[in-house]
Amino acid sequence: MFFELYWQYFVTGLILYGVTRMIYIYMDRKQKNQLGEQKKNEDFKTPDQLAEIDGEVSEDSENDFTPALPHDLKHIPLCYTKLPTDEMIRRSEEYYKLMNQRRTVRTFSSEPVPIEVIKNIIKTAGTAPSGAHTEPWTYVVIKCMEMKKKIRNIIEEEEEINYKKRMGKVWTTDLRPLRTNWVKEYLTEAPYLILVFKQMYSYKENSEKKLHYYNEQSVSLAVGILLSAIHYAGLVSLTSTPLNCGPALRSLLGRPSSEKLTLLLPVGYPAPDCLIPDLQRKPLEEIMVEI
Ligand code: IYR
């Protein structure tokens, strides 16, 4: 009875509801499409590019990468022992004194060093923190003299051009007191050369690509730890950056295009007649700001 009397109102109400619902769905879809379009239009940028470090991370689109870590990664209790304050002060002083003796060395002895030591220092470098725990580093250790000679040839050839042309007058004048030039005996004298490659990305076991966040910073942190491990082990090193040699050395060593040469470190004992520039380090007041 009731429905028969007022059916027009029911039908009108239903029509109004239907139309409102359709308008709502239409507006919602339009908004989502606009957002999608906006996302597509923004060039895909890796975190390193966003942080304005360098633009040579990858040309792939975001969809080519898969998560670096499992979404259900387990969290476990930290293994930590708190030190008494005086012990903490004593240790920090002791470590400072030890590290303050580290010097960059350019003349090496060819005396052999056990590979075990090199393996331990690289394992130590491997403890460095890295972006999303991607561990974006490869340490290529060269012991073979033939390979050292090839590396030296590539580097000396490029460095001669660097010193004579690319580096310019200000740079070469700044370097003169350090007595460096393009002749690099250490490349064949030192028992080991460690070439540090940063990995911009890698492939997982299932061949999916994994993006390496902050690979530049991660490798720099790892090399800092590597340098302290070299020093603690009683060896010396030189943090060299062979300019313009990266691609040639990468292909010589058969490293993939996802990697870029960051540093080359000869490692060994100093030559008996080793000289170092008489340089002083900045005092704490100059390097620390306390707020
Ligand atoms: N890479 C060159 C030049 C060089 C550049 C700087 I900056 C140094 O502190 C030292 C050297 C070379 O190894 O000779």
Side-chain angles (χ1 to χ4, degrees):
M1 273 311 274
F2 182 78
F3 187 74
E4 271 176 30
L5 269 176
Y6 299 107
W7 66 270
Q8 302 95 319
Y9 296 103
F10 279 103
V11 172
T12 317
L14 264 173
I15 292 170
L16 272 175
Y17 171 76
V19 171
T20 323
R21 182 96 192 110
M22 270 160 66
I23 292 171
Y24 173 79
I25 291 170
Y26 169 77
M27 297 297 277
D28 190 50
R29 279 210 191 132
K30 201 172 159 189
Q31 199 181 10
K32 278 185 184 151
N33 282 347
Q34 271 172 356
L35 281 174
E37 215 39 57
Q38 245 175 40
K39 258 194 143 179
K40 255 195 260 165
N41 289 342
E42 282 167 18
D43 275 343
F44 167 60
K45 288 190 183 66
T46 66
D48 277 2
Q49 285 170 323
L50 288 173
E52 291 181 354
I53 295 139
D54 55 45
E56 48 194 329
V57 176
S58 170
E59 280 162 13
D60 302 77
S61 93
E62 196 167 17
N63 300 331
D64 294 332
F65 295 94
T66 54
L69 294 166
H71 73 278
D72 56 352
L73 183 67
K74 205 168 110 188
H75 284 221
I76 54 168
L78 171 73
C79 183
Y80 174 79
T81 318
K82 192 174 179 189
L83 291 175
T85 308
D86 52 352
E87 173 66 359
M88 207 161 58
I89 294 169
R90 192 194 64 74
R91 280 204 201 191
S92 58
E93 249 174 47
E94 185 183 72
Y95 195 64
Y96 159 65
K97 282 181 186 152
L98 172 79
M99 290 313 295
N100 197 29
Q101 283 163 0
R102 187 203 58 79
R103 290 300 309 262
T104 288
V105 155
R106 289 191 164 78
T107 39
F108 286 75
S109 151
S110 57
E111 189 183 335
V113 167
I115 188 73
E116 204 56 32
V117 181
I118 302 299
K119 286 183 179 175
N120 284 334
I121 61 167
I122 291 177
K123 272 202 283 186
T124 309
T127 67
S130 61
H133 191 63
T134 46
E135 304 172 283
W137 37 65
T138 306
Y139 300 91
V140 180
V141 177
I142 313 289
K143 191 181 169 203
C144 163
M145 183 50 90
E146 275 318 297
M147 190 53 100
K148 283 193 230 170
K149 282 182 186 162
K150 285 183 187 164
I151 292 174
R152 184 172 168 181
N153 280 341
I154 291 174
I155 294 181
E156 286 187 337
E157 198 176 303
E158 281 300 323
E159 286 285 47
E160 186 168 359
I161 308 170
N162 293 337
Y163 273 86
K164 288 182 176 169
K165 291 187 187 144
R166 296 187 188 119
M167 282 156 63
K169 208 168 168 163
V170 177
W171 194 351
T172 47
T173 310
D174 269 347
L175 289 182
R176 210 163 290 143
L178 299 176
R179 303 183 195 169
T180 64
N181 62 32
W182 59 87
V183 183
K184 309 218 171 278
E185 272 163 23
Y186 57 78
L187 291 171
T188 42
E189 280 304 297
Y192 296 103
L193 303 180
I194 303 179
L195 287 93
V196 188
F197 287 85
K198 68 171 185 185
Q199 304 169 345
M200 271 95 66
Y201 57 88
S202 67
Y203 291 94
K204 297 211 271 200
E205 303 87 66
N206 59 3
S207 77
E208 284 173 339
K209 258 183 187 176
K210 185 166 101 171
L211 184 53
H212 288 180
Y213 307 95
Y214 298 107
N215 51 72
E216 179 82 23
Q217 291 94 326
S218 305
V219 168
S220 309
L221 289 164
V223 171
I225 295 175
L226 182 76
L227 288 177
S228 70
I230 291 168
H231 182 65
Y232 189 64
L235 297 173
V236 293
S237 182
L238 158 65
T239 38
S240 82
T241 49
L243 187 67
N244 254 36
C245 305
L249 294 176
R250 184 174 66 75
S251 67
L252 173 72
L253 302 173
R255 299 312 305 163
S257 57
S258 53
E259 296 188 2
K260 188 174 180 258
L261 180 69
T262 306
L263 287 161
L264 184 154
L265 295 96
V267 180
Y269 298 104
D273 57 353
C274 175
L275 292 180
I276 53 164
D278 186 12
L279 298 169
Q280 306 307 314
R281 294 195 163 105
K282 287 179 181 176
L284 183 65
E285 307 77 67
E286 256 186 69
I287 62 168
M288 178 175 157
V289 179
E290 209 175 352
I291 297 173

